Amino acid sequence: MRGFLLLAFSLVTTAHAEFCSPDSQNAFKVRLSIKTALGDNAYAWDASEEYLFKAMVAFAMRRYSSQKTTQISNVLLCNVTDRVSFWFVVTDSSKNATTVPRGEVEAAIRMTRNRINNAFLLNDKTMQFLKISSTLPPPTESSVPIWLVVFGVVLCLIVAGILFLIVSGIQQRKKKNKEPAETKNLEEKCEVTVTIENGMPCDTLNLKTGQINGGYEADDERFTPL
Amino acid sequence: MYYNVINAWAFWYLFHSFQNPLPWAACPLNSNHTGYIEECEKASSTQYFWYRKTLNISPSIEENGSIQWEQAMCLILAWLTVYLCILRGTESTGKVVYLTASLPYLVLIIYLIKALTLHGAVNGLVYMFTPKLEQLANPKAWINAATQIFFSLGLGFGSLIAFASYNEPNNNCEKHAIIVSLINSTTSVFASIVTFSIYGFKATFNYENCLNKAMLLLTNAFDLEEGFLTADNLNHMKEQLMATHPNEYVELLPQIKNCSLEAELDTAVQGTGLAFIVYSEAIKNMEVSQLYSVLYFFMLLMLGIGSMLGNTAAILTPLTDSKFLSTHLPKEVISGIVCFINCIVGLTFTMEAGNYWFDIFNDYAATLSLLLIVLVEIIAVCYVYGLRRFEKDLHLMIGHKLSWYWKIMWAFASPLLIISLFIFYITDYILTGTLQYQAWDATQGHLVTKDYPSYALAVIGLLVASSTMCIPLGALAIFIKRRLKREHRSTVA
């Protein structure tokens, strides 16, 4: 009896070792970065946490295919290191001495990845299932690109400014054209004869500094026209 | 003509700064949402945004591609802004420049305060102020410095002459010349303090990232406890691991990069690379990055529009002053036509290969011809017109005699300096042989050096020749006109 039990026990342990070892078929490596994620609130990885992990994987398998009844004892962990990383494999209790195929485990984990992460207060980066690709969240995109909105606003402002300046320029020019012709003639005479006095044109002297000598102003009237 | 493309890019980045998170902060996902786009993984997200999203750059200058409509719209907007500012001539430009010149200072002060509080900024400042004697002994550094001062003062562009022609004759130009030069140099130093603080922040950030990556790699490979490797014991632990697990360590070796803060600080960039890649990378790591991004690109825009106003005024002033055009067309129409033509030609820079053409224009259109123009100007004023006549004119304008310092500088020092710069550049062009350019390789995720094709070399030659030929051609035209007038007078008399 005892011998039989011993034999069974040794068989189970060797089976355990057979199923769960690094790089064995249908086994996955998990890597946790608890200190990176939680800092001072990091918890220590012990047997209770391992139990929780087994429970979560069993939960994932149950969620994925409702026929299978995966027990916690079906999930085997091994090679736990200080990193915290370990290998796990899920055995199939309905078929003796086999492990659940890789694809099924992967699909199950992917489906409930969020729940598993939250159970350990980690995320996809700090709880890595190597060789199981995670679905990255799609970026938030609004229906109308925001930059087009800002572009439209600025464009409208600038076009409005241009139109305003052009229209006011045209109006100013119309007002100038209506002024009496006398002032226009005087300006024309000033432009035609630009007398240079000491290297500077006369009109700047007239308008900015100095005084106009009234005696010389009505020069053209002294001479009788031909 | 080519410069306004920079304003178009500044507009593009400004409009995209209103998003949360910033679009260049993270890589976009690939089509089946399992990872990031490969080009973005190989380069960084800021480089991806610049080369792919903004420029959509082609692998070489030969492949022209199509016009990017987003860039074209931004370019049209940039030209409309310039048109708005120069529409009414220089009186309106003067008021706009109050804004475009003072706002950048405000933004620089805000950035200075922010930059000095960043982690790692001190590294950048220490790097900036420690003299590197081997670099100082290299004459190329001094020549680059001289060229930089030359261009930042805007000599030879015609914009200074254009703006100065609106001044009154008794304007004290000597005082203004000194003030402008001093302000220019002080602003350069001020801006470089801000730049180097941000640079130090970025370099420290990248260095720490590199260290963290190396530590993570080693921790994962050897299943060490988290937090076992720190920045201080990394080198020591590396040697230990090499001794205890030589095989696996050798396998990992190609992936572990040697991180060095000096190397990060030494990667100096300038021009569009600095403005759009390095700065946006530094900004995305700050808190409230949208605000700083908006401020920064708004400042870039102000500076760019200010430069454009000067350049466009230099073109427009002779056109509006010429009697032929101003009698037939009003001022607004002339400005409109100039802006329109430049905009259409500038659309070539919005094509996929546009950035390569932009680099050609940026590097070759300005340098030699500006040096030549300024050299001819100074020789003409000092030796052809006569330094004594010029001195008398200035005495009339400013009211006191010129000091000997100016006379010596104009007659001897400046021509010598410019001639030496000129000779240096020509010998540099001759010695480097075939000209090369940096092309973006999308498959590798970094720049590669390629040779220019023959038609690009022809365009470069044409650019340099056309801008330098203007002076001899102008002289020839006046000579011919005088000859004809003299003949006409002799036939009449």
Short mmCIF file of all heavy atoms in Angstrom, two decimals, chain A residues 147 151, chain B residues 2-16 50 54-55 70-79 81-82 276 297 300-301 304-305 308 346-347 349-350 358:
data_model
loop_
_atom_site.label_atom_id
_atom_site.label_comp_id
_atom_site.label_asym_id
_atom_site.label_seq_id
_atom_site.Cartn_x
_atom_site.Cartn_y
_atom_site.Cartn_z
N TRP A 147 -6.55 69.51 -35.77
CA TRP A 147 -5.70 70.52 -36.38
C TRP A 147 -6.43 71.23 -37.51
O TRP A 147 -6.21 72.40 -37.77
CB TRP A 147 -4.39 69.90 -36.87
CG TRP A 147 -4.46 69.11 -38.11
CD1 TRP A 147 -4.74 67.79 -38.23
CD2 TRP A 147 -4.23 69.59 -39.43
NE1 TRP A 147 -4.69 67.43 -39.55
CE2 TRP A 147 -4.37 68.50 -40.30
CE3 TRP A 147 -3.91 70.84 -39.97
CZ2 TRP A 147 -4.23 68.61 -41.67
CZ3 TRP A 147 -3.74 70.95 -41.34
CH2 TRP A 147 -3.92 69.85 -42.17
N PHE A 151 -6.78 75.18 -37.91
CA PHE A 151 -6.36 75.71 -39.21
C PHE A 151 -7.46 76.57 -39.80
O PHE A 151 -7.22 77.67 -40.29
CB PHE A 151 -6.02 74.54 -40.12
CG PHE A 151 -5.69 74.94 -41.52
CD1 PHE A 151 -4.42 75.39 -41.84
CD2 PHE A 151 -6.63 74.86 -42.53
CE1 PHE A 151 -4.10 75.75 -43.13
CE2 PHE A 151 -6.31 75.23 -43.82
CZ PHE A 151 -5.06 75.68 -44.13
N TYR B 2 12.10 80.19 -50.49
CA TYR B 2 12.10 78.89 -49.85
C TYR B 2 11.89 79.01 -48.35
O TYR B 2 11.50 78.05 -47.71
CB TYR B 2 13.45 78.19 -50.13
CG TYR B 2 14.61 78.77 -49.38
CD1 TYR B 2 14.96 78.27 -48.14
CD2 TYR B 2 15.35 79.81 -49.90
CE1 TYR B 2 16.02 78.79 -47.43
CE2 TYR B 2 16.41 80.34 -49.20
CZ TYR B 2 16.75 79.83 -47.97
OH TYR B 2 17.79 80.37 -47.28
N TYR B 3 12.09 80.19 -47.80
CA TYR B 3 12.11 80.34 -46.36
C TYR B 3 10.74 80.17 -45.75
O TYR B 3 10.60 79.74 -44.60
CB TYR B 3 12.67 81.73 -46.01
CG TYR B 3 13.11 81.84 -44.59
CD1 TYR B 3 14.34 81.37 -44.19
CD2 TYR B 3 12.28 82.40 -43.63
CE1 TYR B 3 14.74 81.46 -42.89
CE2 TYR B 3 12.68 82.51 -42.33
CZ TYR B 3 13.92 82.04 -41.96
OH TYR B 3 14.32 82.14 -40.67
N ASN B 4 9.70 80.48 -46.51
CA ASN B 4 8.37 80.44 -45.93
C ASN B 4 7.91 79.01 -45.66
O ASN B 4 6.93 78.81 -44.96
CB ASN B 4 7.35 81.14 -46.86
CG ASN B 4 6.39 81.98 -46.04
OD1 ASN B 4 6.53 82.10 -44.83
ND2 ASN B 4 5.42 82.56 -46.70
N VAL B 5 8.61 78.02 -46.23
CA VAL B 5 8.25 76.63 -45.94
C VAL B 5 8.45 76.35 -44.45
O VAL B 5 7.70 75.58 -43.85
CB VAL B 5 9.10 75.68 -46.80
CG1 VAL B 5 8.70 74.26 -46.56
CG2 VAL B 5 8.93 76.03 -48.25
N ILE B 6 9.46 77.00 -43.86
CA ILE B 6 9.69 76.82 -42.42
C ILE B 6 8.48 77.30 -41.63
O ILE B 6 8.05 76.67 -40.66
CB ILE B 6 10.96 77.57 -41.99
CG1 ILE B 6 12.16 77.08 -42.76
CG2 ILE B 6 11.18 77.40 -40.51
CD1 ILE B 6 13.43 77.72 -42.32
N ASN B 7 7.89 78.45 -42.08
CA ASN B 7 6.70 78.93 -41.40
C ASN B 7 5.54 77.96 -41.57
O ASN B 7 4.73 77.77 -40.66
CB ASN B 7 6.30 80.30 -41.96
CG ASN B 7 7.25 81.37 -41.49
OD1 ASN B 7 7.92 81.23 -40.48
ND2 ASN B 7 7.33 82.45 -42.24
N ALA B 8 5.48 77.33 -42.77
CA ALA B 8 4.42 76.35 -42.98
C ALA B 8 4.57 75.19 -41.99
O ALA B 8 3.59 74.73 -41.39
CB ALA B 8 4.47 75.82 -44.42
N TRP B 9 5.81 74.72 -41.79
CA TRP B 9 6.03 73.64 -40.84
C TRP B 9 5.70 74.08 -39.42
O TRP B 9 5.13 73.32 -38.64
CB TRP B 9 7.49 73.17 -40.89
CG TRP B 9 7.87 72.52 -42.17
CD1 TRP B 9 7.06 71.83 -43.02
CD2 TRP B 9 9.16 72.51 -42.76
NE1 TRP B 9 7.76 71.38 -44.10
CE2 TRP B 9 9.05 71.78 -43.96
CE3 TRP B 9 10.39 73.01 -42.38
CZ2 TRP B 9 10.15 71.57 -44.80
CZ3 TRP B 9 11.47 72.79 -43.21
CH2 TRP B 9 11.34 72.08 -44.41
N ALA B 10 6.05 75.33 -39.10
CA ALA B 10 5.75 75.83 -37.75
C ALA B 10 4.25 75.88 -37.52
O ALA B 10 3.76 75.52 -36.44
CB ALA B 10 6.37 77.21 -37.55
N PHE B 11 3.49 76.29 -38.55
CA PHE B 11 2.03 76.29 -38.46
C PHE B 11 1.52 74.88 -38.22
O PHE B 11 0.66 74.63 -37.37
CB PHE B 11 1.41 76.81 -39.77
CG PHE B 11 1.08 78.28 -39.73
CD1 PHE B 11 1.62 79.14 -40.67
CD2 PHE B 11 0.23 78.80 -38.78
CE1 PHE B 11 1.32 80.49 -40.65
CE2 PHE B 11 -0.07 80.16 -38.76
CZ PHE B 11 0.47 80.99 -39.69
N TRP B 12 2.05 73.92 -38.98
CA TRP B 12 1.61 72.52 -38.88
C TRP B 12 1.78 72.00 -37.46
O TRP B 12 0.87 71.42 -36.87
CB TRP B 12 2.41 71.72 -39.90
CG TRP B 12 2.32 70.25 -39.79
CD1 TRP B 12 3.19 69.41 -39.16
CD2 TRP B 12 1.32 69.41 -40.35
NE1 TRP B 12 2.80 68.11 -39.30
CE2 TRP B 12 1.64 68.08 -40.03
CE3 TRP B 12 0.18 69.65 -41.10
CZ2 TRP B 12 0.88 67.01 -40.43
CZ3 TRP B 12 -0.58 68.57 -41.50
CH2 TRP B 12 -0.24 67.27 -41.17
N TYR B 13 3.00 72.24 -36.91
CA TYR B 13 3.25 71.77 -35.55
C TYR B 13 2.40 72.52 -34.54
O TYR B 13 1.94 71.95 -33.56
CB TYR B 13 4.74 71.95 -35.21
CG TYR B 13 5.58 70.75 -35.51
CD1 TYR B 13 6.07 70.51 -36.78
CD2 TYR B 13 5.89 69.84 -34.52
CE1 TYR B 13 6.84 69.41 -37.05
CE2 TYR B 13 6.66 68.74 -34.77
CZ TYR B 13 7.14 68.52 -36.05
OH TYR B 13 7.91 67.44 -36.31
N LEU B 14 2.19 73.83 -34.78
CA LEU B 14 1.37 74.62 -33.87
C LEU B 14 -0.05 74.07 -33.81
O LEU B 14 -0.62 73.90 -32.74
CB LEU B 14 1.37 76.09 -34.33
CG LEU B 14 0.55 77.04 -33.48
CD1 LEU B 14 1.16 77.17 -32.12
CD2 LEU B 14 0.46 78.41 -34.15
N PHE B 15 -0.63 73.77 -35.01
CA PHE B 15 -1.99 73.26 -35.02
C PHE B 15 -2.07 71.90 -34.35
O PHE B 15 -3.08 71.56 -33.73
CB PHE B 15 -2.52 73.17 -36.45
CG PHE B 15 -2.66 74.50 -37.12
CD1 PHE B 15 -2.50 74.63 -38.48
CD2 PHE B 15 -2.93 75.64 -36.40
CE1 PHE B 15 -2.61 75.84 -39.11
CE2 PHE B 15 -3.05 76.87 -37.01
CZ PHE B 15 -2.89 76.96 -38.37
N HIS B 16 -1.01 71.10 -34.50
CA HIS B 16 -1.05 69.78 -33.90
C HIS B 16 -0.75 69.80 -32.41
O HIS B 16 -0.84 68.77 -31.77
CB HIS B 16 -0.06 68.84 -34.60
CG HIS B 16 -0.60 68.27 -35.86
ND1 HIS B 16 -1.30 67.09 -35.89
CD2 HIS B 16 -0.58 68.72 -37.12
CE1 HIS B 16 -1.68 66.84 -37.14
NE2 HIS B 16 -1.25 67.82 -37.90
N TRP B 50 8.22 63.76 -37.76
CA TRP B 50 8.80 64.77 -38.65
C TRP B 50 8.96 64.22 -40.05
O TRP B 50 8.52 64.82 -41.03
CB TRP B 50 10.14 65.22 -38.08
CG TRP B 50 10.98 66.03 -38.97
CD1 TRP B 50 12.18 65.71 -39.50
CD2 TRP B 50 10.70 67.35 -39.48
NE1 TRP B 50 12.65 66.72 -40.29
CE2 TRP B 50 11.77 67.73 -40.29
CE3 TRP B 50 9.63 68.22 -39.32
CZ2 TRP B 50 11.82 68.96 -40.94
CZ3 TRP B 50 9.68 69.44 -39.97
CH2 TRP B 50 10.77 69.80 -40.77
N THR B 54 4.92 64.70 -41.18
CA THR B 54 5.00 66.08 -41.64
C THR B 54 5.48 66.15 -43.08
O THR B 54 4.81 66.69 -43.95
CB THR B 54 5.96 66.88 -40.75
OG1 THR B 54 5.59 66.68 -39.40
CG2 THR B 54 5.90 68.34 -41.07
N LEU B 55 6.68 65.59 -43.33
CA LEU B 55 7.26 65.74 -44.65
C LEU B 55 6.80 64.65 -45.61
O LEU B 55 6.78 64.86 -46.81
CB LEU B 55 8.78 65.68 -44.58
CG LEU B 55 9.45 66.76 -43.76
CD1 LEU B 55 10.93 66.47 -43.68
CD2 LEU B 55 9.24 68.10 -44.39
N GLU B 70 -1.68 68.77 -47.11
CA GLU B 70 -1.69 69.45 -45.80
C GLU B 70 -0.59 70.49 -45.74
O GLU B 70 -0.80 71.62 -45.28
CB GLU B 70 -1.47 68.45 -44.66
CG GLU B 70 -2.49 67.35 -44.57
CD GLU B 70 -1.93 66.05 -45.09
OE1 GLU B 70 -0.93 66.10 -45.81
OE2 GLU B 70 -2.50 65.00 -44.78
N GLN B 71 0.62 70.12 -46.24
CA GLN B 71 1.72 71.06 -46.24
C GLN B 71 1.43 72.22 -47.17
O GLN B 71 1.77 73.37 -46.88
CB GLN B 71 3.00 70.36 -46.69
CG GLN B 71 3.50 69.30 -45.74
CD GLN B 71 3.64 69.87 -44.37
OE1 GLN B 71 4.27 70.90 -44.16
NE2 GLN B 71 3.04 69.21 -43.41
N ALA B 72 0.79 71.90 -48.32
CA ALA B 72 0.47 72.97 -49.28
C ALA B 72 -0.47 73.98 -48.64
O ALA B 72 -0.31 75.20 -48.79
CB ALA B 72 -0.15 72.37 -50.53
N MET B 73 -1.47 73.47 -47.89
CA MET B 73 -2.41 74.39 -47.23
C MET B 73 -1.70 75.25 -46.21
O MET B 73 -1.95 76.46 -46.11
CB MET B 73 -3.53 73.60 -46.55
CG MET B 73 -4.53 73.14 -47.57
SD MET B 73 -6.08 72.50 -46.96
CE MET B 73 -5.94 72.27 -45.26
N CYS B 74 -0.80 74.65 -45.45
CA CYS B 74 -0.06 75.44 -44.45
C CYS B 74 0.81 76.47 -45.13
O CYS B 74 0.98 77.59 -44.64
CB CYS B 74 0.80 74.52 -43.59
SG CYS B 74 -0.15 73.55 -42.42
N LEU B 75 1.40 76.11 -46.31
CA LEU B 75 2.23 77.07 -47.02
C LEU B 75 1.40 78.24 -47.51
O LEU B 75 1.80 79.41 -47.40
CB LEU B 75 2.92 76.38 -48.20
CG LEU B 75 3.88 77.27 -48.97
CD1 LEU B 75 5.08 77.58 -48.12
CD2 LEU B 75 4.32 76.59 -50.25
N ILE B 76 0.21 77.93 -48.05
CA ILE B 76 -0.67 79.01 -48.53
C ILE B 76 -1.05 79.92 -47.36
O ILE B 76 -1.06 81.16 -47.47
CB ILE B 76 -1.92 78.41 -49.19
CG1 ILE B 76 -1.53 77.69 -50.47
CG2 ILE B 76 -2.94 79.48 -49.51
CD1 ILE B 76 -2.66 77.00 -51.16
N LEU B 77 -1.33 79.29 -46.20
CA LEU B 77 -1.67 80.10 -45.03
C LEU B 77 -0.50 80.99 -44.63
O LEU B 77 -0.68 82.17 -44.29
CB LEU B 77 -2.04 79.17 -43.87
CG LEU B 77 -2.47 79.88 -42.59
CD1 LEU B 77 -3.76 80.61 -42.82
CD2 LEU B 77 -2.62 78.88 -41.46
N ALA B 78 0.72 80.44 -44.70
CA ALA B 78 1.90 81.23 -44.33
C ALA B 78 2.05 82.43 -45.26
O ALA B 78 2.32 83.55 -44.82
CB ALA B 78 3.15 80.36 -44.37
N TRP B 79 1.86 82.20 -46.58
CA TRP B 79 1.99 83.32 -47.51
C TRP B 79 0.86 84.34 -47.31
O TRP B 79 1.06 85.55 -47.47
CB TRP B 79 2.01 82.82 -48.96
CG TRP B 79 3.37 82.45 -49.40
CD1 TRP B 79 3.83 81.21 -49.68
CD2 TRP B 79 4.48 83.34 -49.56
NE1 TRP B 79 5.15 81.26 -50.02
CE2 TRP B 79 5.58 82.55 -49.96
CE3 TRP B 79 4.67 84.71 -49.43
CZ2 TRP B 79 6.84 83.09 -50.21
CZ3 TRP B 79 5.93 85.26 -49.68
CH2 TRP B 79 6.98 84.43 -50.07
N THR B 81 -0.46 85.07 -44.47
CA THR B 81 -0.06 85.85 -43.29
C THR B 81 0.96 86.91 -43.66
O THR B 81 0.86 88.06 -43.23
CB THR B 81 0.55 84.92 -42.22
OG1 THR B 81 -0.20 83.73 -42.17
CG2 THR B 81 0.56 85.60 -40.88
N VAL B 82 1.94 86.52 -44.48
CA VAL B 82 2.95 87.50 -44.90
C VAL B 82 2.29 88.62 -45.70
O VAL B 82 2.58 89.81 -45.51
CB VAL B 82 4.05 86.79 -45.73
CG1 VAL B 82 4.97 87.81 -46.34
CG2 VAL B 82 4.82 85.85 -44.85
N PHE B 276 12.79 71.19 -34.97
CA PHE B 276 11.58 70.38 -34.99
C PHE B 276 11.74 69.02 -34.35
O PHE B 276 10.77 68.47 -33.87
CB PHE B 276 11.09 70.21 -36.45
CG PHE B 276 10.59 71.50 -37.03
CD1 PHE B 276 11.32 72.17 -37.97
CD2 PHE B 276 9.40 72.04 -36.61
CE1 PHE B 276 10.88 73.36 -38.49
CE2 PHE B 276 8.94 73.23 -37.12
CZ PHE B 276 9.68 73.89 -38.07
N PHE B 297 6.17 76.82 -30.65
CA PHE B 297 5.96 76.93 -32.09
C PHE B 297 5.38 78.28 -32.47
O PHE B 297 5.61 78.77 -33.57
CB PHE B 297 5.08 75.78 -32.59
CG PHE B 297 5.83 74.49 -32.60
CD1 PHE B 297 5.50 73.48 -31.72
CD2 PHE B 297 6.89 74.31 -33.44
CE1 PHE B 297 6.22 72.31 -31.70
CE2 PHE B 297 7.62 73.14 -33.43
CZ PHE B 297 7.28 72.14 -32.56
N LEU B 300 8.49 80.33 -32.76
CA LEU B 300 9.15 80.04 -34.04
C LEU B 300 8.45 80.75 -35.18
O LEU B 300 9.07 81.32 -36.08
CB LEU B 300 9.10 78.53 -34.32
CG LEU B 300 10.31 77.68 -34.01
CD1 LEU B 300 10.12 76.32 -34.64
CD2 LEU B 300 11.57 78.30 -34.53
N LEU B 301 7.11 80.73 -35.13
CA LEU B 301 6.32 81.37 -36.17
C LEU B 301 6.59 82.86 -36.21
O LEU B 301 6.80 83.45 -37.28
CB LEU B 301 4.85 81.11 -35.89
CG LEU B 301 3.92 81.19 -37.08
CD1 LEU B 301 4.31 80.17 -38.08
CD2 LEU B 301 2.51 80.95 -36.60
N GLY B 304 9.98 83.46 -37.67
CA GLY B 304 9.99 83.19 -39.11
C GLY B 304 9.28 84.27 -39.89
O GLY B 304 9.77 84.72 -40.93
N ILE B 305 8.13 84.72 -39.38
CA ILE B 305 7.39 85.76 -40.09
C ILE B 305 8.18 87.07 -40.07
O ILE B 305 8.21 87.80 -41.06
CB ILE B 305 6.00 85.93 -39.48
CG1 ILE B 305 5.23 84.63 -39.61
CG2 ILE B 305 5.27 87.08 -40.11
CD1 ILE B 305 3.86 84.75 -40.12
N MET B 308 10.68 86.76 -42.77
CA MET B 308 10.01 86.83 -44.07
C MET B 308 9.64 88.27 -44.41
O MET B 308 9.75 88.69 -45.57
CB MET B 308 8.72 86.00 -44.07
CG MET B 308 8.90 84.57 -44.40
SD MET B 308 9.84 84.31 -45.87
CE MET B 308 8.79 85.04 -47.08
N GLY B 346 6.91 77.92 -54.32
CA GLY B 346 7.20 77.25 -53.06
C GLY B 346 6.48 75.94 -52.90
O GLY B 346 6.82 75.14 -52.03
N LEU B 347 5.45 75.69 -53.75
CA LEU B 347 4.74 74.42 -53.65
C LEU B 347 5.65 73.24 -53.99
O LEU B 347 5.37 72.11 -53.61
CB LEU B 347 3.51 74.41 -54.57
CG LEU B 347 2.31 75.18 -54.03
CD1 LEU B 347 1.18 75.17 -55.03
CD2 LEU B 347 1.82 74.57 -52.74
N PHE B 349 8.38 72.71 -52.68
CA PHE B 349 8.98 72.23 -51.45
C PHE B 349 8.01 71.41 -50.61
O PHE B 349 8.39 70.87 -49.58
CB PHE B 349 9.49 73.40 -50.61
CG PHE B 349 10.55 74.19 -51.30
CD1 PHE B 349 10.31 75.49 -51.69
CD2 PHE B 349 11.78 73.63 -51.57
CE1 PHE B 349 11.28 76.21 -52.34
CE2 PHE B 349 12.75 74.35 -52.21
CZ PHE B 349 12.50 75.65 -52.60
N THR B 350 6.73 71.36 -51.04
CA THR B 350 5.79 70.55 -50.28
C THR B 350 5.67 69.16 -50.87
O THR B 350 4.92 68.34 -50.37
CB THR B 350 4.40 71.19 -50.25
OG1 THR B 350 3.98 71.39 -51.60
CG2 THR B 350 4.43 72.51 -49.54
N PHE B 358 14.79 71.84 -50.39
CA PHE B 358 14.90 72.91 -49.39
C PHE B 358 16.33 73.00 -48.86
O PHE B 358 16.88 74.09 -48.71
CB PHE B 358 13.93 72.63 -48.25
CG PHE B 358 14.05 73.59 -47.12
CD1 PHE B 358 13.46 74.83 -47.18
CD2 PHE B 358 14.77 73.26 -45.98
CE1 PHE B 358 13.58 75.72 -46.13
CE2 PHE B 358 14.88 74.14 -44.94
CZ PHE B 358 14.29 75.38 -45.02
#
